[in-house]
Amino acid sequence: MGQKRWREKLLKFMDFCAGIGGGRFGLESIGLECVAYSEIDEAASETYRLFFGDREKNYGDLMSIDPEDLPYFDLMIAGFPCQSFSIVGKRKGLHDPRGSIIYGLIDILKAKSVKYFIFENVKGLVNHDGGRTLAMILGDLNEAGYEVEWRVVNSLDYGVPQMRERIYFVGVRNDLIPVKGKFIWPSRVPAPGLEEYLSSENSRELDYRNDPTFNRYLSNKYNIGKWDINELIDEDYLIIDTRQSDLRLYRGQVPTLRAGRHGILYVKSGKLKRLSGYEALLLQGFPKDAARKIRNNVSETRLLSQAGNAMTVHVVSRIGTQLLEYLQNHMHTVA
């Protein structure tokens, strides 16, 4: 049997901690079918339905789900909450109720005898509590019956010009692959130029000469005398990050999009543009037609936040493709 057969065999997945569906877009792009999703945030669920339709079944808070109520699915994908492990959060880890969601996912894995999973979280999980949190999670996933591989990957290496490091876990139920084989992570691919993402569609111009907030920023104690705005606006697709007190410049790539990060600017034709929610979706790999469909139906502030919380579509699709190839290479051992 070839990879096409495997796509049929791995037809169904369920989208947990779904956000606005970045993981779903990634898996659907390689031929898999989503049977339902679970998302506790109502605003994110509204955007998800704008993308995928009003008939989508949302099972809500996964910690309250009775696994017996769930439909059949082969694969679980989940971008479980990262605030507990992020370097910008309080880093409570597994002592935070949000951190314990990983165990809600494990309970569903066991109850439904799920064959495969793909999980995503922030890079900060790697060294949280000196690495003990990661070791505990891996140990519990192994105890639940899964062979697990993990790696920190950068979206910049997977086809989008965004510097976004995230940890991904790929798990396969042990009894399906009794002869262990090494999962091979996707090879790197170059990111296209920024001009494919910063389209100026729906973008908002910043009147930098008369904007008091921006001018106070340029003249604060960290930035005063360092930058000539006239030189900055002479370079198309120069990225200007105003998140920190010190101004940061990027070329050919944008810094990590985050839920509360709305200070990314870029230069286009001598004008200073604010990164739009539509452009943020493109930088997360969302298809242009889908991004256009919702850009006028969700506020800019909300869409920027939701895009910042999403999984990068291209990363998920490439990891999913590698999982299919991995299974194909071990098909003779699969029950």
Side-chain angles (χ1 to χ4, degrees):
M1 292 186 294
Q3 188 169 330
K4 182 178 180 182
R5 178 68 179 274
W6 265 111
R7 291 176 188 268
E8 295 170 354
K9 199 175 182 69
L10 269 177
L11 183 64
K12 300 182 184 301
F13 69 93
M14 186 163 172
D15 194 2
F16 288 88
C17 306
I20 61 173
R24 175 170 175 170
F25 273 114
L27 293 182
E28 287 188 339
S29 73
I30 60 171
L32 308 189
E33 177 188 354
C34 184
V35 297
Y37 74 105
S38 168
E39 174 54 53
I40 194 172
D41 183 89
E42 288 296 330
S45 182
E46 288 176 11
T47 303
Y48 192 102
R49 289 173 180 270
L50 287 172
F51 278 130
F52 301 108
D54 290 335
R55 295 183 180 180
E56 295 296 315
K57 174 68 173 179
N58 182 8
Y59 281 84
D61 183 1
L62 71 87
M63 303 301 284
S64 301
I65 289 176
D66 180 352
E68 293 300 316
D69 294 335
L70 296 176
Y72 172 83
F73 55 96
D74 300 286
L75 183 148
M76 171 190 285
I77 185 165
F80 60 100
C82 64
Q83 294 94 329
S84 303
F85 309 116
S86 172
I87 60 172
V88 299
K90 294 184 179 179
R91 298 174 65 90
K92 294 181 180 179
L94 298 177
H95 299 292
D96 188 310
R98 295 169 299 189
S100 65
I101 286 176
I102 182 63
Y103 294 114
L105 294 170
I106 291 174
D107 288 344
I108 295 172
L109 285 174
K110 293 191 293 186
K112 299 294 288 184
S113 296
V114 179
K115 295 177 182 177
Y116 322 102
F117 65 79
I118 299 173
F119 291 163
E120 179 253 21
N121 208 290
V122 292
K123 179 184 177 182
L125 176 58
V126 174
N127 60 20
H128 180 268
D129 195 20
R132 286 182 286 272
T133 299
L134 176 59
M136 188 181 303
I137 290 173
L138 291 171
D140 288 334
L141 286 168
N142 291 150
E143 187 175 333
Y146 292 86
E147 179 74 9
V148 184
E149 296 287 342
W150 68 270
R151 175 173 289 189
V152 173
V153 300
N154 193 333
S155 297
L156 191 65
D157 297 325
Y158 287 79
V160 293
Q162 181 196 169
M163 301 161 54
R164 186 182 189 87
E165 291 184 303
R166 291 292 184 267
I167 182 173
Y168 279 84
F169 303 82
V170 176
V172 179
R173 211 174 66 204
N174 284 333
D175 62 299
L176 297 179
I177 304 184
V179 178
K180 305 300 183 186
K182 183 76 171 177
F183 173 79
I184 305 299
W185 290 88
S187 57
R188 297 177 178 180
V189 295
L194 283 172
E195 61 273 10
E196 294 190 25
Y197 297 84
L198 305 182
S199 65
S200 294
E201 292 185 47
N202 236 31
S203 64
R204 302 161 295 159
E205 184 178 346
L206 175 70
D207 182 6
Y208 60 89
R209 296 191 187 280
N210 298 308
D211 185 272
T213 302
F214 184 73
N215 280 284
R216 280 198 302 270
Y217 183 84
L218 284 181
S219 61
N220 72 21
K221 64 179 181 180
Y222 301 100
N223 299 319
I224 190 167
K226 290 180 64 176
W227 311 107
D228 183 339
I229 188 62
N230 293 310
E231 292 182 3
L232 295 181
I233 63 166
D234 196 41
E235 183 180 343
D236 266 4
Y237 300 110
L238 176 69
I239 304 299
I240 302 175
D241 181 13
T242 61
R243 180 178 63 93
Q244 302 292 341
S245 296
D246 59 317
L247 183 145
R248 300 183 184 186
L249 303 179
Y250 299 85
R251 292 172 175 85
Q253 57 195 24
V254 300
T256 307
L257 302 179
R258 298 191 180 97
R261 188 176 199 168
H262 305 151
I264 296 178
L265 307 170
Y266 67 93
V267 179
K268 180 71 179 294
S269 301
K271 297 179 180 179
L272 204 52
K273 302 277 192 174
R274 301 179 190 270
L275 185 75
S276 70
Y278 169 76
E279 291 164 327
L281 289 174
L282 300 188
L283 287 164
Q284 285 283 50
F286 282 71
K288 285 186 178 181
D289 58 345
R292 287 192 181 107
K293 182 170 68 172
I294 71 159
R295 64 182 177 183
N296 294 321
N297 295 305
V298 182
S299 73
E300 277 294 290
T301 299
R302 176 172 290 183
L303 195 54
L304 282 164
S305 293
Q306 292 176 342
N309 270 334
M311 282 189 268
T312 303
V313 174
H314 293 354
V315 174
V316 175
S317 66
R318 289 187 60 78
I319 291 175
T321 296
Q322 287 300 111
L323 177 58
L324 293 179
E325 293 181 1
Y326 170 66
L327 295 171
Q328 179 181 339
N329 291 337
H330 294 274
M331 286 176 56
H332 62 285
T333 69
V334 177

